Amino acid sequence: MFFFTPPASAGTLLVFGDSLSAGYGLEAGQSWVDLLQQRLQKQKIPCKVINASISGDTSAGGLARIKPALTQHAPDILLLELGANDGLRGLSLNAMKSNLSSIIEQAKGTGAKVLLIGMQMPPNYGPRYTERFQNIYKELASEQQIPLVPFLMESVALEPSMMQPDNFHPNAQAQPLLLDTVWPHLQPLLQCANKG
């Protein structure tokens, strides 16, 4: 007797971020999110990447749009990369933490795995502010028991040749390095990406 095993349905990976994930200043197909889809295909990992990142978005903006995004895409994995614009604009860090926490809880409520992608502020914002900003990501990862990429731009932030002229956004050359920073933290979640 033969049993038919249905093929594993492709998992859905939703990237929910700001300009750093939206590919600001890059040509189509150059962003680290595009490169992520290419790597998954190359490694024959049946996971579809949806990029719901919006340049300039804040944690409050993300909170306002997370519910319809979760409903529309039903992701198995959420990559949450928000907060940089909150920090750069000097917005309330307590509000930022609350917003990100709510996004994480809503995603987990749908059964999605969440990977939090951290950022850091430039040193000119002062040690107290920059340390508090950075610690928010560590606190959220600990409190929500989710994995954390400590700093997305860890390998490129201090390399002028890797930055666009605005000195805020990584250029095309930097994008593979951003992916390599995210990848080790994402890999353990990919085994959960196939439903059924």
Side-chain angles (χ1 to χ4, degrees):
M1 182 178 290
F2 294 95
F3 293 95
F4 172 71
T5 304
S9 60
T12 299
L13 195 159
L14 182 65
V15 181
F16 204 70
D18 50 34
S19 58
L20 297 173
S21 298
Y24 176 88
L26 303 173
E27 294 181 13
Q30 289 185 330
S31 78
W32 73 266
V33 178
D34 295 314
L35 300 179
L36 170 59
Q37 180 69 83
Q38 295 170 24
R39 181 174 292 187
L40 292 169
Q41 291 171 342
K42 190 174 182 180
Q43 299 195 11
K44 294 182 169 52
I45 298 172
C47 203
K48 176 178 67 173
V49 177
I50 296 170
N51 195 350
S53 302
I54 297 178
S55 292
D57 207 7
T58 62
S59 64
L63 179 57
R65 63 190 180 91
I66 186 61
K67 187 173 181 180
L70 292 172
T71 301
Q72 179 182 357
H73 302 297
D76 299 277
I77 300 172
L78 176 75
L79 272 68
L80 178 58
E81 181 272 305
L82 284 172
N85 288 309
D86 295 63
L88 292 173
R89 297 176 191 178
L91 303 179
S92 164
L93 296 185
N94 288 335
M96 170 185 149
K97 182 179 180 182
S98 175
N99 293 336
L100 293 176
S101 183
S102 183
I103 292 171
I104 294 165
E105 287 168 1
Q106 289 188 51
K108 288 168 66 176
T110 69
K113 304 287 183 181
V114 180
L115 174 60
L116 182 61
I117 300 177
M119 279 297 297
Q120 293 181 15
M121 286 295 100
N124 58 297
Y125 278 71
R128 183 177 175 185
Y129 189 83
T130 55
E131 184 178 353
R132 174 66 185 131
F133 180 89
Q134 187 177 346
N135 284 340
I136 283 176
Y137 294 98
K138 298 175 185 176
E139 292 166 7
L140 285 169
S142 176
E143 292 165 6
Q144 297 283 351
Q145 297 185 305
I146 57 173
L148 169 68
V149 177
F151 182 28
L152 175 62
M153 293 169 55
E154 179 180 359
S155 57
V156 304
L158 299 178
E159 295 291 339
S161 65
M162 294 287 181
M163 303 301 288
Q164 295 182 38
D166 62 11
N167 287 321
F168 279 112
H169 297 94
N171 58 26
Q173 186 182 351
Q175 299 303 308
L177 298 177
L178 298 186
L179 175 57
D180 287 343
T181 299
V182 172
W183 184 254
H185 304 275
L186 174 61
Q187 260 188 313
L189 301 182
L190 292 172
Q191 61 193 16
C192 310
N194 294 336
K195 288 179 176 175

